[in-house]
Amino acid sequence: MAENVIMICGLVLYAAAFLLVMRYNVHMFQQNGYKNKVQLNWLMQNRERQRLLLPSFLAAVLAGGLFCVATAVIAVFGATLCLWYFLMLAGQKAKKKLVYTSRVKRLLATNVLLAVIFAVLCIVGKSRMLAYFTAGLFLLCEPFLVVFSNVINAPVEKAVKKHYIRDAKRILAAHKELTVIGVTGSYGKTSVKFFLNALLQSKFQVLATPESYNTPMGVVKTIRSSLNPTHEIFICEMGAKNIGDIKELCDIVHPKHGVITAIGPQHLESFHSIENIIKTKFELADALPADGLLFLNGDNEYIRREKREQTSIFYGLESFGGEKNTEQGAAAGYRASGLKVSALGTVFTVTAPDGESAEFQTKIIGAHNVVNIVGAVAVAHTLGISLEELKLPVRRLQPVEHRLQLLERGSVTLIDDAYNSNPAGSKAAVDTLALFDGLRILITPGMVELGEKEEEYNYEFGKAAAVSCDYIALVGKRRTEPIARGVLDAGFPEQRLFVADKLEEALNYAYALNTEKHKFILLENDLPDNY
């Protein structure tokens, strides 16, 4: 009797552990974009996160193969061990919580159904050994069962996706006067989208994809839930991790005009080469109609070297390479000059291709953000809003959340650049930090998704940070080793370099630094939960 009670308790604990393991891995699967290959690669690279599954499985096998109370206790111990570990893991505050979308619910349902089927088979078999073995096996295999469940659901998900896309296309087709503007780039696209939305709203009814909605289903959801007959312009942010991603989005929304904000080494793990990134971003250019306009960041070397037949309007700082642009048949472009940057914001002058110019003021800091604002000004001015009319909207622009966002905390100013994760943006961020008069502190976990060049780019980031910072706190000892090498190789004092396991430790270190100067703490990049 006692043995049966212990056995039942063990199986109940295994069931609870299974549900926690399933929820955690579905959460990571969602952050990995529901991509089977990406999830499997993530599992291989993060094996330590599942490290207690194997001993729990072995405990279950041991208990199932013997016939005494002691081994039933082993099964309970194995299940308790796993349950405790995943309760601890699940208890960590997620930066981006699991969203229980319809797809996630279907994925969970399929996963649970598989478990129930095997559980019923065990009950029918009336074999305690089989029951324990199956319970342990499901825990051990659950990370892979999530992917298997997605494979089973693939035909359903494909049909659901097609239905929603057809509905979004139908809605767009009904808005015959709607102008669609596509915005893409390795970085800067979300900022340009928000700035352009704010500027165009001074004259037009505008809808823009919210937050970082830049996938097919995110765009489709925006169209189906928010587009109405009064909208005149739809600004569609377009993200990509693979060749063909931008084309897929263009085939849905059919943009009239396009903006390519920048091209650089981002998502190299999936793109494999910078050439593939260039090809993918310019899928937007290929999708524009003959009378469409393509707005290009002339400061970006990868963009400048691309030759296009269609009308291109360049924008950037005064040194963005006008001669090269002229060779491509481009107009003189929109140029920013006379930049003055301080903690209060930025002042600069914009000159349009026709010679019209105006001085602008903004609370937003960073020369690269000025380029983003000029890109938005270029589009708005081309669509009929004068530079003089754009002065007030530019003055009212708010920093995009987590992108060089200034947060005052008494004697400390936090510069929140948590959503920046590319080499050019990170270099621009520490260059901006160098402009402030005070104690300049960098806190960063480094950059990811840079493929084989990840170590090289983080090393170079460390060298750049050494020039601009008074103190540096790195988060994550193993991943930030290349940054630390770059920092020290650049001659940075080792006593001013701190390496922490968690962000909280790094922040405590920065706040504890004894100084009479005002502290400026740059929070550069924040890795997602799956890192």
Side-chain angles (χ1 to χ4, degrees), residues 506-519:
L507 282 169
N508 290 337
Y509 166 79
Y511 274 97
L513 289 171
N514 190 14
T515 177
E516 294 182 358
K517 293 182 179 180
H518 187 89
K519 293 178 183 176

Side-chain angles (χ1 to χ4, degrees), residues 204-235:
F204 303 99
Q205 292 293 316
V206 185
L207 172 67
T209 50
E211 300 174 358
S212 293
Y213 277 41
N214 57 26
T215 64
M217 296 316 292
V219 170
V220 164
K221 181 179 180 181
T222 303
I223 294 169
R224 296 180 70 245
S225 63
S226 303
L227 187 64
N228 63 59
T230 65
H231 286 127
E232 300 169 277
I233 295 175
F234 175 43
I235 305 171

Side-chain angles (χ1 to χ4, degrees), residues 56-76:
S56 298
F57 168 66
L58 294 176
V61 172
L62 179 61
L66 302 174
F67 297 90
C68 64
V69 174
T71 52
V73 171
I74 292 173
V76 173

Side-chain angles (χ1 to χ4, degrees), residues 308-360:
R308 293 282 150 172
E309 295 294 330
Q310 68 232 90
T311 303
S312 297
I313 299 176
F314 285 81
Y315 64 87
L317 302 181
E318 57 183 336
S319 59
F320 73 77
E323 291 183 7
K324 292 183 180 179
N325 296 341
T326 302
E327 289 175 6
Q328 298 179 54
Y334 288 79
R335 299 168 180 265
S337 59
L339 271 70
K340 298 175 184 177
V341 183
S342 70
L344 299 176
T346 311
V347 177
F348 58 96
T349 298
V350 173
T351 303
D354 60 4
E356 180 186 357
S357 65
E359 184 177 82
F360 291 88

Side-chain angles (χ1 to χ4, degrees), residues 81 124 234 457:
L81 184 71
V124 172
F234 175 43
Y457 284 123

Side-chain angles (χ1 to χ4, degrees), residues 67-363:
F67 297 90
C68 64
V69 174
T71 52
V73 171
I74 292 173
V76 173
F77 173 76
T80 304
L81 184 71
C82 189
L83 184 62
W84 165 79
Y85 176 69
F86 272 92
L87 278 172
M88 183 179 68
L89 196 62
Q92 294 179 1
K93 186 177 180 182
K95 301 165 188 173
K96 188 174 182 181
K97 294 182 179 180
L98 173 64
V99 181
Y100 286 93
T101 61
S102 298
R103 178 168 188 169
V104 165
K105 292 175 182 176
R106 289 190 292 268
L107 192 62
L108 291 171
T110 301
N111 208 158
V112 170
L113 181 60
L114 289 173
V116 169
I117 290 172
F118 277 92
V120 169
L121 291 175
C122 291
I123 293 172
V124 172
K126 296 182 180 179
S127 167
R128 185 177 67 178
M129 179 178 179
L130 183 60
Y132 276 136
F133 179 80
T134 303
L137 184 63
F138 256 82
L139 272 179
L140 186 64
C141 297
E142 172 50 31
F144 300 96
L145 286 175
V146 169
V147 177
F148 182 57
S149 298
N150 189 56
V151 172
I152 294 174
N153 287 358
V156 174
E157 300 304 334
K158 186 176 181 180
V160 170
K161 183 178 179 179
K162 281 186 175 180
H163 166 73
Y164 286 143
I165 289 176
R166 280 197 301 268
D167 192 46
K169 286 182 175 181
R170 176 190 59 79
I171 294 170
L172 287 172
H175 290 65
K176 299 187 183 301
E177 302 302 317
L178 183 71
T179 298
V180 179
I181 302 173
V183 181
T184 192
S186 298
Y187 46 90
K189 53 186 176 293
T190 302
S191 296
V192 170
K193 175 189 68 178
F194 277 113
F195 298 156
L196 181 57
N197 183 33
L199 300 189
L200 290 178
Q201 281 183 353
S202 64
K203 188 170 182 178
F204 303 99
Q205 292 293 316
V206 185
L207 172 67
T209 50
E211 300 174 358
S212 293
Y213 277 41
N214 57 26
T215 64
M217 296 316 292
V219 170
V220 164
K221 181 179 180 181
T222 303
I223 294 169
R224 296 180 70 245
S225 63
S226 303
L227 187 64
N228 63 59
T230 65
H231 286 127
E232 300 169 277
I233 295 175
F234 175 43
I235 305 171
C236 179
E237 180 179 343
M238 299 178 171
K241 289 188 176 182
N242 299 279
I243 295 175
D245 285 354
I246 300 299
K247 182 181 184 304
E248 182 181 3
L249 285 162
C250 290
D251 288 343
I252 296 172
V253 301
H254 300 293
K256 172 72 177 293
H257 307 302
V259 184
I260 301 180
T261 61
I263 291 175
Q266 195 170 33
H267 302 309
L268 277 173
E269 282 185 350
S270 53
F271 277 119
H272 305 300
S273 70
I274 192 70
E275 287 72 23
N276 285 339
I277 297 175
I278 296 170
K279 178 181 178 181
T280 302
K281 299 307 178 184
F282 272 88
E283 288 172 357
L284 173 58
D286 297 335
L288 299 182
D291 59 344
L293 298 174
L294 180 62
F295 296 85
L296 299 170
N297 176 358
D299 288 342
N300 186 270
E301 59 178 312
Y302 297 112
I303 290 178
R304 283 203 308 267
R305 73 187 191 192
E306 281 294 300
K307 299 184 183 297
R308 293 282 150 172
E309 295 294 330
Q310 68 232 90
T311 303
S312 297
I313 299 176
F314 285 81
Y315 64 87
L317 302 181
E318 57 183 336
S319 59
F320 73 77
E323 291 183 7
K324 292 183 180 179
N325 296 341
T326 302
E327 289 175 6
Q328 298 179 54
Y334 288 79
R335 299 168 180 265
S337 59
L339 271 70
K340 298 175 184 177
V341 183
S342 70
L344 299 176
T346 311
V347 177
F348 58 96
T349 298
V350 173
T351 303
D354 60 4
E356 180 186 357
S357 65
E359 184 177 82
F360 291 88
Q361 295 182 354
T362 177
K363 303 173 187 175

